[in-house]
Amino acid sequence: MRSDNAKSGIQQAPARSLFRALGYTEEELARPLIGVVSSYNEIVPGHMNLDKIVEAVKQGVAMAGGTPIVFPAIAVCDGIAMGHVGMKYSLVTRDLIADSTECMALAHQFDGLVMVPNCDKNVPGLLMAAARLNIPAVFVSGGPMLAGRIKGEKKSLSSMFEAVGAYAAGTMTEEDVEDFANKVCPTCGSCSGMYTANSMNCLTEVLGMGLKGNGTIPAVYSERIRLAKHAGMAVMEMVEKNICPKDIMTEAAFRNALTMDMALGCSTNSMLHLPAIAHEAGVELNVDIANEISAKTPNLCHLAPAGPTYMEDLNEAGGVYAVMNEIGKLGLLNLDCMTVTGKTVGENIKNCENKNPQVIRTVENPYSATGGIAVLRGNLAPDSCVVKRSAVVPEMLCHEGPARVFDSEEDAIAAIKGGKIVAGDVVVIRYEGPKGGPGMREMLNPTSAIAGMGLGASVALITDGRFSGASRGASIGHVCPEAAAGGPIGLVEEGDIISIDINANTINMKVSDEELAKRRETWTPKTKEMTGYLKRYAEQVTSADKGAVLKGN
C-alpha cells in the first residue's frame, strides 16, 4: 500500500506515534488509508450539508475495510461573491483547491481519495487534483437545491437576479424582490438550475468519476446519504483493483463529456473547466471540437435558466444516465470507457430509461438538432468565444447592432440599470478576462439586469470575462485573446457595428483591417494595480481557450 511509506517499518515509528496521538489503532493503520476531501463550510449553501455527506462516506469506507481520514478543501459561493471584488476570487480558487489537495494527498501518502465537493470551482478543482495525483478516487457531491416556489411557480437563483433588474425597470416592488429573496433558494444544495455547479456534477457522472445520481439527487434526499456510503465502498474496490483517474478520464471520456454537455445544455463554464481537467489528465481538449460535436448532438434538456424545469425534475426523469442512454441511441458515446463502478459506461447506462420525455426530450424530438453550446470566431475573437446557444431566444441567434463599450462590469451595470442601453445594442465588457480582471469575473448581474429590464430578446452582451450558468440570452463570453493580452476586443469603439451569427459560429466587428491596424498603433492595454494572490495569478494564468490553466502546470 502507498500509505506504508508513511506508517510501516522502524523508520516510520515516529509517524506511527503521531497516528497514535490522533487516536488511530493498530487495526486501523493496517488498512488502506483513504483521504476524504471535505469541502464543508458555513458560507456556501451547497456545502452546509457536506458534514453529513462526509460522515456517510466515512461509514462506507469503514464498512468496506478502509480507514477514512478527513481533510478540507476551500470553496467560494459565486452568488455571494457576485457583483463586487469578491468575484475576482472565484475562478482563482480552482487552482488553489487542486494544489492544496495535491499537497495533502502526497504529503500523507493516502491509498485512495473520496472527493466531496459541490459548487462551481470546487468540483473542477478537485477533478484537476484527481487527474494530477492519479490515485484511486471517486466523487460524491452534496447535491442540488430544490426549486423555490413563488405563487405556485418554480423559481431559482436566476429568477432572483432578474427580479433585481425588474425592480430597476419599475415592474417589481421592493416587497416583491424580498418575497423572491425569501423563497427562491429554499434548501441547502447547489442552486437548482443547470448552472455551473450542477453542470460539473452531472459531467462528473459522464466522465465516469461519480456514481449514478451524483449530479441530480437533491441535497435534502436521504438517497444522497446512501449514495455517499456507496461512494466510500466504491473507492475501496478501486484501491483493490488499482483503477485510477487516468484510466477513467481518457480522451474518449472527455469527448463523451462534451457530447453530454451539448445534450444537457450545461453552463458555458464547462468550456473553461473541461480543458483544464483534461490538461491535468494529459489530454489535449481543443475548444474547436465543441462545434464538431455540437453539429451532430441534439439538445434534449432545457433546465433553468433555459427553460421551466429544474434538477429535481431531471432526477425524477431518470437523471444523467437516462440522457446518456437517449443520446447513446445515436451512437454518439463511447460506451467502452471505464468508470468508478469498475464497469463501463455502456454497462452503467443500460436500461436507464427516460421516464419523462417533457424533461428529457427524445432524440426524435429534440429542442434543437444541434448542441447547447457554440464556439464563435471572427475578427472580434480570433482565438474563440463561447455562448450557451440553448439559452438564446431564436430572434437573437443572428443579431447586428452598435457597440456600447465598458471597461468594467460595474460601469456596464450602471448604464443598464440607468436606462442607457436600448433594444438592438451590443454591450461590450472588457478587461474582465483571466489576466485582465484578474480572475475572469462572472457577468450574471449585467445579464440578469438586461433580462429584468425586458431587453433579453433584443440586446447582446459580449465579454472577455465569463458568465454564470444562471445567465441566459445572447451572452457571449471567454473572448480570446482578452483585452489585457492585446486582443481586438480592446480596440472596439463606441458605436462600432457588431455582427453576431450563432448559427454560423461567427462574431465580427464591421471595422476594416486598415482601421483596426491604425487603432492598434496608438493603443496599449490598460493595466491595474494588483497585490497578493491576484497579482501572482495574473502573471501565471493562460487564456480562457486554454482553460485558464496556470503556466507551468
Side-chain angles (χ1 to χ4, degrees):
M1 291 186 290
R2 183 180 288 100
S3 60
D4 285 342
N5 294 329
K7 67 184 182 184
S8 298
I10 291 295
Q11 185 66 30
Q12 292 308 115
R16 287 197 298 280
S17 72
L18 295 171
F19 277 112
R20 297 286 190 263
L22 289 162
Y24 289 106
T25 66
E26 185 177 336
E27 291 80 5
E28 288 173 302
L29 292 181
R31 299 175 172 185
L33 303 186
I34 305 299
V36 181
V37 188
S38 171
S39 304
Y40 169 78
N41 63 47
E42 295 181 344
I43 191 64
V44 185
H47 290 226
M48 63 183 285
N49 65 320
L50 295 190
D51 55 342
K52 295 178 176 60
I53 302 297
V54 166
E55 285 304 313
V57 167
K58 290 172 66 178
Q59 290 179 46
V61 169
M63 282 191 289
T67 297
I69 302 175
V70 178
F71 65 88
I74 63 170
V76 163
C77 179
D78 279 24
I80 294 174
M82 197 76 67
H84 54 85
V85 68
M87 181 44 68
K88 293 177 184 287
Y89 286 90
S90 172
L91 179 61
V92 303
T93 64
R94 189 185 68 179
D95 296 274
L96 284 174
I97 291 163
D99 292 348
S100 60
T101 302
E102 174 194 355
C103 292
M104 289 293 288
L106 293 183
H108 302 104
Q109 293 291 287
F110 290 111
D111 296 298
L113 297 169
V114 181
M115 308 293 200
V116 187
N118 210 28
C119 289
D120 294 26
K121 312 308 163 303
N122 189 236
V123 180
L126 289 178
L127 282 165
M128 289 166 68
R132 188 186 302 174
L133 290 162
N134 201 35
I135 63 176
V138 63
F139 280 65
V140 56
S141 77
M145 185 183 290
L146 294 179
R149 300 293 198 282
I150 306 281
K151 297 178 181 178
E153 293 185 4
K154 288 184 179 181
K155 299 289 182 180
S156 63
L157 184 66
S158 53
S159 310
M160 181 72 255
F161 278 88
E162 290 176 15
V164 175
Y167 173 77
T171 58
M172 284 184 72
T173 66
E174 186 174 346
E175 289 75 19
D176 291 333
V177 174
E178 277 308 304
D179 190 41
F180 270 61
N182 285 324
K183 294 176 180 177
V184 296
C185 296
T187 71
C188 61
S190 48
C191 298
S192 54
M194 188 55 84
Y195 311 143
T196 304
N198 292 325
S199 295
M200 293 310 302
N201 281 319
C202 287
L203 294 180
T204 299
E205 275 191 65
V206 179
L207 280 170
M209 291 297 294
L211 300 176
K212 181 178 184 289
N214 179 66
T216 61
I217 298 170
V220 294
Y221 284 14
S222 297
E223 185 182 359
R224 174 67 55 179
I225 300 295
R226 299 197 296 273
L227 180 73
K229 291 177 181 176
H230 282 123
M233 297 177 202
V235 77
M236 293 307 298
E237 185 174 347
M238 293 177 72
V239 168
E240 182 182 345
K241 295 180 178 178
N242 195 32
I243 299 173
C244 296
K246 287 185 180 178
D247 300 323
I248 296 169
M249 290 193 281
T250 61
E251 182 177 354
F254 282 104
R255 288 189 72 94
N256 282 351
L258 276 175
T259 299
M260 290 302 300
D261 193 331
M262 302 301 171
L264 288 163
C266 292
S267 163
T268 51
N269 280 313
S270 62
M271 297 303 296
L272 197 63
H273 300 320
L274 285 175
I277 299 160
H279 178 74
E280 296 286 358
V283 174
E284 183 179 350
L285 195 63
N286 191 313
V287 294
D288 284 330
I289 70 169
N291 286 339
E292 169 205 327
I293 290 173
S294 180
K296 55 189 177 185
T297 307
N299 176 230
L300 305 185
C301 299
H302 265 194
L303 283 85
T309 53
Y310 296 82
M311 295 305 297
E312 61 201 69
D313 302 312
L314 179 59
N315 188 62
E316 294 300 317
V320 174
Y321 277 16
V323 187
M324 293 178 75
N325 202 26
E326 194 70 45
I327 288 295
K329 295 175 183 176
L330 299 177
L332 298 179
L333 295 177
N334 186 316
L335 302 180
D336 295 326
C337 293
M338 178 53 62
T339 72
V340 292
T341 65
K343 299 178 181 178
T344 65
V345 167
E347 290 172 309
N348 286 344
I349 68 173
K350 186 178 180 182
N351 301 323
C352 291
E353 62 181 276
N354 179 357
K355 299 174 184 177
N356 189 342
Q358 292 187 340
V359 175
I360 305 170
R361 289 206 175 179
T362 63
V363 292
E364 294 82 17
N365 181 39
Y367 282 102
S368 66
T370 53
I373 288 178
V375 174
L376 316 183
R377 286 180 185 270
N379 69 354
L380 185 58
D383 291 345
S384 76
C385 57
V386 179
V387 63
K388 187 172 182 175
R389 175 167 42 197
S390 61
V392 179
V393 294
E395 54 265 41
M396 289 298 290
L397 290 171
C398 188
H399 179 77
E400 194 169 286
R404 305 299 309 281
V405 183
F406 305 93
D407 288 344
S408 73
E409 176 191 9
E410 288 83 358
D411 290 347
I413 291 171
I416 296 164
K417 291 185 176 179
K420 296 178 181 179
I421 302 301
V422 299
D425 283 348
V426 178
V427 176
V428 177
I429 306 176
R430 60 196 181 191
Y431 295 104
E432 291 286 5
K435 178 183 178 68
M440 203 179 185
R441 288 194 289 181
E442 290 184 339
M443 301 292 143
L444 179 56
N445 273 332
T447 59
S448 298
I450 287 169
M453 297 286 282
L455 298 170
S458 59
V459 169
L461 192 153
I462 299 169
T463 181
D464 52 10
R466 61 195 178 92
F467 296 108
S468 164
S471 292
R472 63 186 175 99
S475 305
I476 300 165
H478 305 197
V479 170
C480 296
E482 62 177 292
I489 189 173
L491 303 176
V492 180
E493 294 183 357
E494 188 82 5
D496 285 347
I497 300 301
I498 307 295
S499 177
I500 302 162
D501 191 335
I502 294 173
N503 289 326
N505 303 117
T506 61
I507 183 167
N508 290 287
M509 48 180 159
K510 290 193 166 182
V511 179
S512 69
D513 292 343
E514 292 77 16
E515 172 61 20
L516 289 175
K518 183 179 176 182
R519 291 181 188 180
R520 190 172 287 280
E521 287 176 4
T522 58
W523 173 78
T524 54
K526 293 185 177 181
T527 57
K528 300 174 183 176
E529 286 191 19
M530 290 175 281
T531 58
Y533 184 61
L534 288 183
K535 184 174 188 293
R536 281 184 280 133
Y537 183 85
E539 290 170 349
Q540 296 178 41
V541 72
T542 60
S543 62
D545 63 313
K546 302 292 191 297
V549 298
L550 299 185
K551 296 171 186 174
N553 274 357

